[in-house]
Amino acid sequence: MKWYSKYLDIYGKAIDEISPGILSEINGKMSRMQSETPLITVAVIAHNEEKRLAACLWSLADQKCDYPIEIIGVDNNSSDRTSLAYSECGVKPLVETRQSPGWARLKGLENARGKYTLTIDSDTMYPELYVQTMAERLMKEGVVAAGGFWSYYPDSEHSRFSLFLYETFRDIYLWLLHFKRPELVVRGMVFGHVTDPARKVGIRTDIIRGEDGSLALGLKEFGRIEFVYSHKARPVTGYGTMGQDGSIMKRFIRVAWMRLKGISDIFTKKEKYEDDQDNLVKPE
C-alpha cells in the first residue's frame, strides 16, 4: 500500500461526506502541531478546493518534524466550503478576496511567522518527512530557496507504468534545466524559501501564472536555489492542467515539443524575462 492511499480515501469528498472520526483525528493532530514560535511556516493556498483540501491537510497533520512549525491556510475567494474544510481540520482560514495564486501566496507570506516558508497546494498530498526534508535543505549555508519534484497518483485513466515513463523523462529534463535556470524548474506545490528575502523580492500579483518562478528568479540575488530529489520530499497530486490534454500520451507529446523548442534554456543563464502579454492580469 502506498503512503498516500489513506488520503485518497477522502480525496474528492465534500467536507460533510468525510467521517467525523477522520476530521477529529486531523483536527487533533493539527492542534498539537501548531507552534506559537514556529521555525517553519507551511502556507496552504486553496481556491474552491473543499473536496481535496482535507486530504492535503491530513497529510500535513501526519508530518514528522523535529522543528516547531505552523500551518496556515488561505481561502482564495472560494465559492464553495473551502473555509469550512480548513476550520473542520483545525486550521483557521485567512480569506483573500483578490483571486489569483499570486494574491493567495502573498497573503501566506505576509502572515508567515517562521524563518522558513514552505508553499503548499491544496490538491496535493505530502509524505510524512516532507516538511523536515525541505526545511533542512533551506538551513544549509548559502541556500535561499529549495524546490522539489512531484508525482501523480495512478487511476483508471493513468497507469502506474505510463506515469513512471512520463515522470522519468520530465524529471531528467528539469534536472538538466536547473543548473542554469532553476527559476524555470520551481513549482509552487514543492517550493520553500527563507522568509525575509522573499518578502524583499515580493510576489507578483499582476500575472496569471508564474508567480513562483518569478519569486525564485528574484531570490537568486540572495543565495542558491537547490532541488531535493529524495522521495521523502516527493508529494503526490491530482491531474489539474494535465487533464486538459486528454491523455498522458498527448500531454507527453505536447510537453516534449515545448521542451525541444526551448532546448537552449538548458545551456544558458537568464536574469530577466519579458512578460507574455497573454499572461498579464487584465485591469478591471
Side-chain angles (χ1 to χ4, degrees), residues 248-267:
I248 196 166
M249 181 55 69
K250 289 182 179 178
R251 171 74 174 184
F252 178 82
I253 292 171
R254 187 178 75 83
V255 171
W257 176 243
M258 290 172 57
R259 301 310 184 214
L260 284 172
K261 290 196 296 182
I263 195 68
S264 62
D265 292 348
I266 293 175
F267 307 104

Side-chain angles (χ1 to χ4, degrees), residues 223-236:
R224 300 193 312 277
I225 300 173
E226 293 199 349
F227 287 84
V228 180
Y229 305 107
S230 170
H231 279 269
K232 294 177 182 179
R234 191 180 185 100
V236 170

Side-chain angles (χ1 to χ4, degrees), residues 9-52:
D9 287 343
I10 65 170
Y11 194 84
K13 288 186 177 181
I15 194 66
D16 55 7
E17 296 174 332
I18 301 172
S19 78
I22 290 176
L23 291 176
S24 178
E25 176 189 338
I26 300 170
N27 196 309
K29 288 181 175 179
M30 196 69 73
S31 296
R32 291 189 293 272
M33 177 181 295
Q34 300 281 26
S35 172
E36 287 300 314
T37 55
L39 180 67
I40 306 158
T41 294
V42 179
V44 186
I45 67 166
H47 168 67
N48 288 345
E49 290 288 3
E50 175 197 348
K51 293 186 176 182
R52 291 181 283 261

Side-chain angles (χ1 to χ4, degrees), residues 144-266:
V144 71
F149 296 89
W150 67 100
S151 291
Y152 300 93
Y153 64 85
D155 60 13
S156 58
E157 297 180 7
H158 306 86
S159 71
R160 195 177 302 278
F161 180 69
S162 64
L163 288 172
F164 170 77
L165 290 179
Y166 173 79
E167 291 170 11
T168 297
F169 284 109
R170 178 204 63 193
D171 290 357
I172 290 172
Y173 174 79
L174 292 178
W175 177 75
L176 292 171
L177 185 62
H178 96 272
F179 290 104
K180 297 291 187 180
R181 298 200 190 183
E183 65 276 4
L184 296 183
V185 184
V186 163
R187 298 294 185 275
M189 77 177 85
V190 280
F191 186 39
H193 48 74
V194 185
T195 304
D196 284 345
R199 287 181 174 146
K200 292 176 181 177
V201 174
I203 296 177
R204 292 188 64 179
T205 59
D206 61 336
I207 51 178
I208 298 170
R209 58 192 174 276
E211 79 290 338
D212 39 18
S214 179
L215 173 58
L217 180 66
L219 285 172
K220 285 168 42 174
E221 175 186 346
F222 297 90
R224 300 193 312 277
I225 300 173
E226 293 199 349
F227 287 84
V228 180
Y229 305 107
S230 170
H231 279 269
K232 294 177 182 179
R234 191 180 185 100
V236 170
T237 191
Y239 293 92
T241 55
M242 186 181 186
Q244 297 174 6
D245 293 313
S247 72
I248 196 166
M249 181 55 69
K250 289 182 179 178
R251 171 74 174 184
F252 178 82
I253 292 171
R254 187 178 75 83
V255 171
W257 176 243
M258 290 172 57
R259 301 310 184 214
L260 284 172
K261 290 196 296 182
I263 195 68
S264 62
D265 292 348
I266 293 175

Side-chain angles (χ1 to χ4, degrees), residues 3 40-43 56 59-60 62-65 67 69 117-121 124-138 146-150 187-193 228-236:
W3 62 265
I40 306 158
T41 294
V42 179
C56 171
S59 74
L60 295 178
D62 281 342
Q63 292 295 301
K64 295 180 178 179
C65 186
Y67 309 103
I69 69 176
T117 298
L118 304 182
T119 65
I120 299 288
D121 279 2
T124 305
M125 297 158 284
Y126 294 82
E128 64 183 9
L129 292 174
Y130 178 81
V131 172
Q132 174 137 335
T133 303
M134 292 292 286
E136 288 182 341
R137 183 60 63 91
L138 289 172
F149 296 89
W150 67 100
R187 298 294 185 275
M189 77 177 85
V190 280
F191 186 39
H193 48 74
V228 180
Y229 305 107
S230 170
H231 279 269
K232 294 177 182 179
R234 191 180 185 100
V236 170

